[in-house]
Amino acid sequence: MNLVRQEHFDEALRAFQQGLQADSRNVTLLDAIGATFSVKGDFEQAERYFLETLQLDPEFVPARKNLAITYFNLGQYGLAAPEFQKLAAGPSDSQRMANLFLGIIAERGADYARSAELFAKCSSLLDQYPQAL
């Protein structure tokens, strides 16, 4: 992860891939690879790894968040919304973030009442995202 923080993405990917050779079903490594591809801007590869992670463990919240955000960043709101809805129904730490993105999606679909309702559930998180303001 230090390599990713230092923007040495290809080195980080090689290290993660080496880890997968020892444990090909490691959801943490698969998600980390997807996240690294996402940071690199290769959202198609990122999606592939997030989906693989969720096939192995459908309850792995970090991969669900990353997949939803990837779809959102690609403008694929029809795919993003169901992922965010699953997160909104899950653990409380994911609910505010999911409602924030669902609110943005509702606003972009001109459903302003729904957008305002979802934003009201975000509290201080709303202030951190200019798109939501």
Side-chain angles (χ1 to χ4, degrees):
M1 290 311 298
N2 284 334
L3 291 170
V4 173
R5 283 186 208 89
Q6 296 168 3
E7 299 183 11
H8 299 289
F9 304 125
D10 292 333
E11 290 175 57
L13 287 169
R14 280 191 292 277
F16 294 144
Q17 291 290 352
Q18 285 178 338
L20 279 182
Q21 289 176 359
D23 183 5
S24 65
R25 299 176 58 84
N26 186 311
V27 292
T28 302
L29 283 174
L30 289 166
D31 183 57
I33 292 169
T36 303
F37 276 118
S38 184
V39 171
K40 283 183 66 167
D42 188 343
F43 297 114
E44 289 158 4
Q45 282 289 344
E47 175 188 15
R48 187 180 126 228
Y49 280 94
F50 299 142
L51 289 171
E52 185 176 345
T53 302
L54 291 169
Q55 283 179 341
L56 292 171
D57 183 356
E59 303 302 317
F60 193 70
V61 173
R64 176 102 34 223
K65 285 181 186 179
N66 287 330
L67 179 63
I69 291 169
T70 296
Y71 286 148
F72 180 87
N73 287 337
L74 290 170
Q76 297 176 344
Y77 304 132
L79 294 173
E83 300 301 330
F84 285 123
Q85 289 165 347
K86 289 174 189 171
L87 291 165
S92 61
D93 60 329
S94 298
Q95 291 174 359
R96 290 186 314 144
M97 182 275 304
N99 287 323
L100 173 81
F101 281 97
L102 287 168
I104 294 170
I105 292 169
E107 185 272 332
R108 290 187 179 166
D111 188 349
Y112 303 115
R114 178 75 176 138
S115 180
E117 176 187 323
L118 289 162
F119 286 153
K121 297 177 181 182
C122 298
S123 64
S124 63
L125 188 60
L126 188 63
D127 299 333
Q128 298 173 23
Y129 289 85
Q131 290 180 17
L133 292 175

